[in-house]
Amino acid sequence: MKILLLEDDVILQEIIEEFLQEKGYEVESFFDGEKALEAIGSTRYDILLLDVNVPNIDGFEILTYLREIGNTTPAIYITSLAGMSDLKKGFDLGADDYLRKPFELEELDARILHIIKLYRLQEEIEFDGMKFIPKAHQLVVGDETIEMRQKEAQVLEYFVRNSGKIISCDEIIENVWDDENIPTHATIRTYIKNLRKMFTKEYFDNIKGEGYRFNIV
């Protein structure tokens, strides 16, 4: 479980980082919002812990941008902003939780565990000798771990959970994409083509005029 921590209070950052590492989490910490955003763009994190008042790009701006580009990584605000308007703003921007400072470290851990359970971040789906970890965007085939793009993982997850059912491109779009970023059927076919390349066996049946069927052995 990989966590990004954005906190510009040096002492508090060290305390939180050490606590979370003792709990078994992998933590990458940042003081600067711009650096944190760069890291999010190049690294996959399971949870974001965001302070608001940090240098260069504040926590509200970061989450606004991430949600606009379709990044759905769960986020918890940890901030000294205690006003109801700030709380409401945080949730309106797409935060999953909002923790006011000062707080008990065990409360932070409890909220992280709630997020993990809510989004099934550690769930593993095994089929035909392989292991698929949807929220980590990973497919483990033998000793090889295949890193997937977020949408590839979401499309595969939908097929796996509906194994044996004929699924149309429209159904995939309706259940995987939001209304603001609707792809074409050609885009869906490209995703399925990419997924096929990840397997040594053929799991996708092309049902002419209807869609696709994913068959788990």
Side-chain angles (χ1 to χ4, degrees), residues 24-162:
Y25 301 109
E26 181 181 351
V27 183
E28 289 189 0
S29 300
F30 298 87
F31 302 98
D32 179 291
E34 185 175 358
K35 297 295 184 183
L37 190 56
E38 289 176 1
I40 294 169
S42 60
T43 305
R44 185 195 61 79
Y45 297 97
D46 297 293
I47 296 176
L48 309 175
L49 301 180
L50 304 174
D51 192 4
V52 175
N53 292 324
V54 294
N56 292 321
I57 303 177
D58 70 39
F60 284 152
E61 292 175 311
I62 288 174
L63 198 57
T64 298
Y65 173 74
L66 292 177
R67 297 305 187 241
E68 285 178 350
I69 65 172
N71 185 311
T72 59
T73 305
I76 301 175
Y77 277 119
I78 49 172
T79 176
S80 57
L81 296 178
M84 186 54 63
S85 61
D86 295 311
L87 174 68
K88 185 176 184 301
K89 181 177 180 179
F91 283 116
D92 286 344
L93 293 177
D96 297 89
D97 209 338
Y98 194 102
L99 190 56
R100 294 186 177 99
K101 301 175 184 177
F103 53 82
E104 296 290 334
L105 292 172
E106 289 295 342
E107 180 181 0
L108 174 60
D109 185 44
R111 291 174 186 256
I112 290 173
L113 290 172
H114 173 70
I115 294 294
I116 291 172
K117 181 178 179 180
L118 180 65
Y119 290 103
R120 299 181 297 189
L121 296 182
Q122 291 180 319
E123 180 184 25
E124 297 178 355
I125 301 173
E126 295 188 8
F127 63 92
D128 204 13
M130 293 176 287
K131 185 176 2 180
F132 175 44
I133 312 170
K135 297 303 180 182
H137 312 151
Q138 292 178 331
L139 180 67
V140 182
V141 183
D143 295 329
E144 180 185 7
T145 298
I146 300 172
E147 299 289 345
M148 313 171 71
R149 291 183 292 172
Q150 182 179 10
K151 285 302 180 186
E152 288 174 342
Q154 290 175 337
V155 170
L156 180 58
E157 181 179 9
Y158 191 78
F159 273 108
V160 170
R161 295 191 186 282
N162 293 276

Side-chain angles (χ1 to χ4, degrees), residues 17-26 105-106 109 113:
E17 181 175 344
E18 182 178 343
F19 171 78
L20 294 178
Q21 287 173 341
E22 289 177 353
K23 291 289 184 177
Y25 301 109
E26 181 181 351
L105 292 172
E106 289 295 342
D109 185 44
L113 290 172

Side-chain angles (χ1 to χ4, degrees), residues 167-183:
I167 299 173
S168 67
C169 290
D170 287 332
E171 182 177 343
I172 297 170
I173 292 170
E174 181 180 350
N175 287 277
V176 176
W177 271 263
D178 57 49
D179 294 335
E180 297 179 357
N181 300 289
I182 298 176

